[in-house]
Amino acid sequence: MIKRVNSTGRRRIGSDRVTIVVHEEQDPRTFDATIDLKDFEAPQDAAVVLEATCAGSNTIRRYSWGTVGQLLPPEDRTLRDLHGKNVFFSLKVIDRSERFGRILGLAENIRPSKAGPKTATGRRGILPVEEADLGDELWKLEFRSEDVFLLVNRRIQGLSGRVSWDASIYSLIYPAIIREILQRALDEQTDDEEDSDRWPVLWLKFARRLHPEGLEPPESEDVSEREEWISEVVSAFCREHSLREKFIQAAGVAEASEDMP
């Protein structure tokens, strides 16, 4: 297993030091932020920056928020060009003296604590669903440092809801989704205890609970060993949720006899 170690030397800033409220009264949405850096050890002139992005988009909006010694929110706090429901923020404290541009402190994956119906608040499970422009694709996975998202085609009305409740859809796609995510999670797991809320750690915990014998992920990088462990987890998921039976009922198809060739 390849384990990622944080060796940058930057200090983590607790996400509880930042409170985000998104306002939806106008388009584009706007937001307010309360930032607490009272006892954070950094030069008083270090720059404070908030960055916002959303699932299904490569756009990153950057907001200068003054300095550690004098926090000053910008006038423009619009979430322009960020249309997804799952919006998240990063807080950066940036050196402007000894090593200009070095990140001294970082808080990631900050979710709005309060918003309207167009914006998700808090963490929404380990696989948030987001509508996106996917062309002719129906769905795809988007892996970010903060989370992994299930993107569904926004041009198909109601699809984002049906992937959660329609057994004729979720029975077909979720086993493949779990396989892909676990393969990636094994490559990106970290030894850093402060990364305990990152998606690879959360997904591997989920997989260990599902495994029929509760086995830990394989330590080796042997492909067959990893694939066997993942297959056992996926099979357990299918059994636990009775996917075969639910698909037969939802799709209105007949179950083939076991003695058929």
Side-chain angles (χ1 to χ4, degrees), residues 203-224:
W203 269 92
L204 290 177
K205 285 182 179 178
F206 166 76
R208 282 193 292 268
R209 290 195 297 268
L210 268 179
H211 193 281
E213 298 176 27
L215 294 181
E216 296 286 328
E219 291 291 338
S220 73
E221 296 179 36
D222 181 82
V223 174
S224 60

Side-chain angles (χ1 to χ4, degrees), residues 94-224:
I94 303 173
D95 190 5
R96 297 201 301 184
S97 55
E98 295 182 8
R99 292 176 58 187
F100 192 86
R102 180 169 64 103
I103 297 176
L104 302 174
L106 177 67
E108 296 180 289
N109 200 20
I110 305 167
R111 307 303 178 95
S113 59
K114 185 177 180 181
K118 297 179 182 179
T119 308
T121 56
R123 177 176 284 280
R124 297 293 184 92
I126 60 174
L127 187 63
V129 178
E130 181 69 74
E131 294 183 340
D133 294 321
L134 300 180
D136 292 322
E137 285 188 88
L138 298 183
W139 65 272
K140 67 184 293 187
L141 293 174
E142 180 179 73
F143 294 90
R144 292 177 176 259
S145 61
E146 303 87 358
D147 259 323
V148 52
F149 294 88
L150 173 59
L151 304 184
V152 297
N153 197 316
R154 70 166 71 249
R155 296 178 62 185
I156 302 178
Q157 188 174 4
L159 182 60
S160 61
R162 292 184 65 183
V163 297
S164 300
W165 61 261
D166 189 339
S168 64
I169 295 177
Y170 70 70
S171 298
L172 291 174
I173 68 173
Y174 270 93
I177 287 171
I178 293 173
R179 284 183 187 277
E180 184 175 347
I181 293 176
L182 292 182
Q183 288 169 353
R184 185 80 167 257
L186 288 174
D187 287 335
E188 298 198 18
Q189 190 182 10
T190 174
D191 277 335
D192 192 339
E193 293 183 359
E194 293 182 331
D195 279 346
S196 60
D197 63 342
R198 291 185 67 251
W199 70 263
V201 177
L202 297 176
W203 269 92
L204 290 177
K205 285 182 179 178
F206 166 76
R208 282 193 292 268
R209 290 195 297 268
L210 268 179
H211 193 281
E213 298 176 27
L215 294 181
E216 296 286 328
E219 291 291 338
S220 73
E221 296 179 36
D222 181 82
V223 174
S224 60

Side-chain angles (χ1 to χ4, degrees), residues 41-56:
E41 295 181 5
Q44 292 296 289
D45 65 346
V48 177
V49 172
L50 270 178
E51 293 180 347
T53 186
C54 69

Side-chain angles (χ1 to χ4, degrees), residues 6-56:
N6 180 10
S7 58
T8 62
R10 68 179 59 136
R11 282 176 290 163
R12 293 300 181 92
I13 301 173
S15 59
D16 58 349
R17 288 176 174 264
V18 185
T19 302
I20 303 288
V21 176
V22 173
H23 307 286
E24 300 180 351
E25 295 82 5
Q26 60 188 43
D27 188 16
R29 296 168 291 182
T30 63
F31 76 97
D32 289 317
T34 302
I35 301 174
D36 177 13
L37 293 175
K38 290 177 187 174
D39 56 354
F40 183 74
E41 295 181 5
Q44 292 296 289
D45 65 346
V48 177
V49 172
L50 270 178
E51 293 180 347
T53 186
C54 69

